[in-house]
Amino acid sequence: DAKTTQPTSMDCAEGRAANLPCNHSTISGNEYVYWYRQIHSQGPQYIIHGLKNNETNEMASLIITEDRKSSTLILPHATLRDTAVYYCIVRVAYSGTASKLTFGTGTRLQVTL
Amino acid sequence: KAGVTQTPRYLIKTRGQQVTLSCSPISGHRSVSWYQQTPGQGLQFLFEYFSETQRNKGNFPGRFSGRQFSNSRSEMNVSTLELGDSALYLCASSLGPDGELFFGEGSRLTVL
């Protein structure tokens, strides 16, 4: 699976949009971009995933560049409960090894008042 | 709908002992994966089971083993515990090998 690079930490004011970047310059054509987050002392939580089109769900939006070498997770109105470590993961889906996720160090997002 | 349930949530063992952790997946999920999380190594994949068969295995010594039962519940076992085995052990389930992973709260193991 391709390697990802994320900033170590970011701050965001409550109510503002949080934009979390991820670089995955070696991504292959059949690899998806997944985002998970881990709130302190809890298991990781799935947020969203995409292949090449932008995706949106009730939690967040995922913007993938046209060359697919980077992406941005957007939390449109961050709240204090969004404070967590966010992991950007690239994986080949539908390969039988999809459960073998490679977590990097992630971005620690701190949402403040 | 109940989530992934892991037991016990916390446990303390001493070096040389063994430990068994249990994971009950979300109803209907047939794939169970295990991860180890430590401050130094982060989240690392241990193994994955689907239909009672181990499908994938991470880079861990043979002291780490697991199994899955016909009802999809899974257990992992660590024998001859070492101090470095102190970690949060996370279980995740999915509908199948390619589904989204849903994680449990984890079992926090401390080895003294």
Side-chain angles (χ1 to χ4, degrees):
Chain A
D1 293 336
K3 180 179 169 58
T4 62
T5 304
Q6 299 177 252
T8 303
S9 63
M10 294 182 63
D11 291 330
C12 179
E14 189 176 36
R16 304 297 294 270
N19 297 290
L20 292 88
C22 178
N23 284 316
H24 31 79
S25 58
T26 60
I27 193 171
S28 300
N30 61 347
E31 289 181 311
Y32 288 70
V33 180
Y34 279 76
W35 284 83
Y36 283 79
R37 73 180 182 183
Q38 186 173 24
I39 296 171
H40 183 61
S41 297
Q42 296 182 21
Q45 175 190 23
Y46 165 79
I47 301 173
I48 198 168
H49 77 281
L51 182 62
K52 55 183 177 180
N53 297 321
N54 297 337
E55 303 288 343
T56 296
N57 62 20
E58 65 279 3
M59 287 183 67
S61 295
L62 174 60
I63 308 297
I64 303 175
T65 58
E66 195 167 338
D67 63 8
R68 303 210 321 123
K69 293 185 176 182
S70 65
S71 60
T72 301
L73 177 74
I74 301 173
L75 307 178
H77 305 287
T79 71
L80 296 177
R81 286 176 292 184
D82 292 320
T83 293
V85 177
Y86 287 77
Y87 296 97
C88 169
I89 299 166
V90 172
R91 78 173 206 195
V92 178
Y94 314 110
S95 67
T97 61
S99 294
K100 188 176 179 179
L101 299 180
T102 301
F103 287 84
T105 54
T107 296
R108 184 173 298 277
L109 175 68
Q110 180 68 53
V111 181
T112 57
L113 291 172
Chain B
K1 188 174 180 179
V4 177
T5 304
Q6 291 189 244
T7 56
R9 290 292 313 280
Y10 302 91
L11 68 166
I12 299 173
K13 294 284 187 179
T14 56
R15 279 181 298 175
Q17 288 186 311
Q18 71 151 10
V19 67
T20 298
L21 308 177
S22 178
C23 172
S24 293
I26 292 172
S27 178
H29 285 195
R30 296 172 61 197
S31 176
V32 174
S33 306
W34 288 90
Y35 286 79
Q36 181 197 63
Q37 185 171 30
T38 61
Q41 299 297 320
L43 273 157
Q44 293 187 291
F45 173 80
L46 279 158
F47 27 65
E48 180 215 350
Y49 288 86
F50 178 72
S51 294
E52 303 178 64
T53 301
Q54 186 181 89
R55 291 174 50 91
N56 294 291
K57 190 176 191 305
N59 189 26
F60 280 81
R63 300 185 297 107
F64 292 81
S65 63
R67 59 177 176 169
Q68 186 181 34
F69 303 94
S70 58
N71 61 358
S72 294
R73 191 177 69 84
S74 177
E75 288 181 347
M76 69 162 283
N77 184 277
V78 187
S79 62
T80 319
L81 284 167
E82 301 176 359
L83 295 179
D85 297 332
S86 294
L88 180 66
Y89 290 89
L90 291 158
C91 168
S93 75
S94 60
L95 277 172
D98 294 308
E100 307 323 320
L101 298 189
F102 294 84
F103 285 83
E105 298 291 309
S107 293
R108 185 167 295 281
L109 169 67
T110 301
V111 182
L112 301 176

